[in-house]
Amino acid sequence: MTKTAIADAAQQKDFEETTYTKVTWRLIPFLFICYVFAYLDRVNVGFAKLQMLSDLKFSETVYGLGAGIFFIGYFIFEVPSNIALHRFGARKWIARIMVTWGVVAAAMVFVKTPAVFYFLRFLLGVAEAGFFPGIILYLTYWYPAARRAKIIALFMTGIPIAGVVGGPLSGWILNRFDKVNGLPGWQWLFLLEAIPSILTGIAVYFYLDDKVSTSHWLTPAQKSLLEKNIAGDSGNLEVHSAFGAFKTKRVWVLCAGYFGIVMGLYGVSFWLPTLIKASGVTDALDVGLLTMIPYGAAAIAMVLVGRSSDRMKERRWHVAIPAVIGAIALVVSTFYSNNTALAVITLTFATVGILSALCQFWSVPTAFLGGVAAAAGIALINSVGNLAGFVSPYMVGWIKDATKSTDLGLYCIAVSLVVSALIMLSMPKGVVNR
């Protein structure tokens, strides 16, 4: 290769890196903030539980069912919502989702009976359906498969950051606003944490671009590069139609694999405050501050694992190993449930493993699904997998009421994580490692 050719190649590489850096800074911080608010509104019921159950005389089983019934509405409307996003565009559809769920989340202040609790949690699932898979689909419009693991990891750090920010914030609201204007702290929690979602949803409508070609902040050369790289992926995509996604065996296998990982996710998300409180921490703000540790560590680990996955172009083991680490840590955490320091340490390893496996998982289906099949397939996997969000909290709540301990529930979650790891390793190496 001549010096001129080498110089041209280096210049092209620099141009490509500069373009993707520009795209990342434009999209990821904003989408990340959206996801933080989405996840916070979904799981802040775990902090509200610290006051709500005693105020309303709800049992652990009622709480578990209410926390989990969110995912029934989510399941029913997930696929239609994602296909609608593919058809109508991300800008309008994601804005609609965020404003709707913000309004429903604020309505949680009216909960007085189990029936109202169940209804609003179900409605919240309906409102939020399509947000997460919609963003995963949206990222495939901008990034080729080889760059996706790190980008998805950056976006999905919204989950642990919601814990880092939401834990202390939720604890502070519970303490500071309790009995202000006659309302208990848990009602203020739902109301105040819903406002950012509504405001951000309005901002989505004016900020996001539906696709590369409609963006006003990219030069024609940058648009051409991005579209060329996305088009270059199409030769590796095996499924392109919505019906084809439903007929593809690998999609259903991934549904099962994702189900086990989500069992772990919501086992931690909905019960982490309770587990920390049970270790001997009584103040709500202290519980919130301690939840920062597992989530902060997970945010760092997710990005590092994502970079490793892209660098090595390996996906299966980058899901399986963290899942097994999460399973082992959950089991070990039950041995130290009365020791705050050791409980937090073991729950930190559990959270790191589960969230790292979760974010790496999404580099697998996008490696072989394209077009409307990606919209349908991603939504199908997410909706079926998220049924674990119903099973996990309800199961743990029922077991705790029956045995006065969460240990057996955590053991069941650990088994599901190991099964998911084995499922991911069964996927064909040549299909997913791209």
Side-chain angles (χ1 to χ4, degrees):
M1 184 179 291
T2 65
K3 290 183 179 180
T4 301
I6 293 173
D8 288 344
Q11 186 177 18
Q12 178 63 23
K13 183 178 180 179
D14 288 343
F15 175 69
E16 182 168 337
E17 292 302 320
T18 300
T19 300
Y20 278 108
T21 298
K22 185 176 182 180
V23 171
T24 298
W25 278 108
R26 171 75 184 189
L27 298 182
I28 300 305
F30 183 73
L31 295 176
F32 165 85
I33 290 170
C34 292
Y35 197 35
V36 168
F37 294 148
Y39 198 78
L40 189 59
D41 282 343
R42 183 188 299 185
V43 302
N44 59 8
V45 70
F47 277 95
K49 171 182 182 286
L50 300 177
Q51 292 180 353
M52 187 170 69
L53 263 63
S54 60
D55 278 1
L56 301 179
K57 305 300 186 289
F58 288 176
S59 68
E60 297 285 351
T61 303
V62 168
Y63 165 73
L65 179 58
I69 206 168
F70 166 97
F71 296 97
I72 302 300
Y74 196 81
F75 169 77
I76 294 171
F77 289 92
E78 186 86 325
V79 173
S81 181
N82 221 36
I83 292 176
L85 183 147
H86 183 71
R87 179 177 179 182
F88 298 116
R91 183 172 63 94
K92 294 178 181 178
W93 201 250
I94 293 174
R96 192 281 305 163
I97 289 173
M98 292 194 68
V99 171
T100 306
W101 94 51
V103 171
V104 176
M108 289 289 290
V109 301
F110 299 111
V111 170
K112 297 294 183 184
T113 65
V116 175
F117 181 43
Y118 299 154
F119 173 73
L120 287 176
R121 286 291 297 177
F122 175 83
L123 205 60
L124 188 64
V126 173
E128 194 184 321
F131 175 78
F132 174 78
I135 297 298
I136 297 298
L137 175 66
Y138 184 65
L139 293 175
T140 67
Y141 299 162
W142 299 83
Y143 295 93
R147 291 180 178 268
R148 250 174 242 151
K150 182 179 73 174
I151 293 301
I152 290 174
L154 286 171
F155 164 64
M156 291 188 67
T157 53
I159 295 177
I161 295 303
V164 171
V165 175
L169 177 63
S170 297
W172 178 76
I173 290 173
L174 288 176
N175 280 357
R176 173 65 180 80
F177 285 85
D178 193 32
K179 302 302 185 290
V180 172
N181 291 332
L183 297 179
W186 64 267
Q187 288 183 313
W188 281 110
L189 176 66
F190 287 127
L191 180 61
L192 294 177
E193 292 188 352
I195 294 171
S197 294
I198 297 171
L199 296 178
T200 309
I202 296 170
V204 164
Y205 183 82
F206 297 99
Y207 186 83
L208 281 190
D209 297 288
D210 286 332
K211 51 190 176 180
V212 173
S213 61
T214 61
S215 61
H216 63 278
W217 44 274
L218 291 170
T219 67
Q222 289 172 329
K223 292 181 184 180
S224 177
L225 170 70
L226 295 173
E227 291 173 337
K228 176 183 175 183
N229 287 349
I230 294 299
D233 263 357
S234 61
N236 294 322
L237 300 175
E238 300 179 4
V239 188
H240 294 270
S241 69
F243 186 61
F246 284 92
K247 292 194 304 179
T248 302
K249 179 182 177 181
R250 291 192 193 110
V251 170
W252 291 101
V253 170
L254 288 176
C255 286
Y258 194 56
F259 186 94
I261 297 172
V262 175
M263 283 284 288
L265 171 66
Y266 290 109
V268 169
S269 298
F270 287 128
W271 290 96
L272 184 59
T274 300
L275 294 171
I276 291 177
K277 183 179 180 180
S279 72
V281 182
T282 57
D283 186 83
L285 180 57
D286 291 338
V287 172
L289 291 171
L290 286 173
T291 60
M292 292 176 64
I293 298 173
Y295 286 122
I300 297 170
M302 289 166 72
V303 175
L304 294 177
V305 174
R307 287 178 176 174
S308 172
S309 180
D310 276 347
R311 185 177 65 254
M312 298 174 67
K313 289 185 171 55
E314 199 291 319
R315 312 302 184 191
R316 301 180 309 158
W317 286 100
H318 281 80
V319 179
I321 291 175
V324 172
I325 290 172
I328 293 171
L330 278 181
V331 172
V332 174
S333 73
T334 64
F335 303 149
Y336 303 107
S337 57
N338 296 319
N339 184 311
T340 300
L342 293 177
V344 170
I345 290 171
T346 52
L347 290 170
T348 295
F349 277 98
T351 307
V352 164
I354 291 166
L355 290 182
S356 295
L358 182 80
C359 71
Q360 290 312 299
F361 174 89
W362 287 107
S363 61
V364 175
T366 56
F368 63 91
L369 295 172
V372 71
I378 292 169
L380 176 64
I381 293 166
N382 194 57
S383 61
V384 173
N386 268 288
L387 286 176
F390 171 77
V391 175
S392 182
Y394 180 64
M395 177 190 71
V396 177
W398 181 82
I399 288 173
K400 187 176 181 185
D401 275 340
T403 68
K404 308 306 177 186
S405 171
T406 57
D407 290 0
L408 181 58
L410 295 180
Y411 297 155
C412 293
I413 291 171
V415 170
S416 71
L417 287 166
V418 173
V419 171
S420 289
L422 296 175
I423 288 173
M424 297 310 296
L425 292 177
S426 75
M427 294 294 291
K429 181 179 179 180
V431 172
V432 302
N433 288 346
R434 292 171 179 166

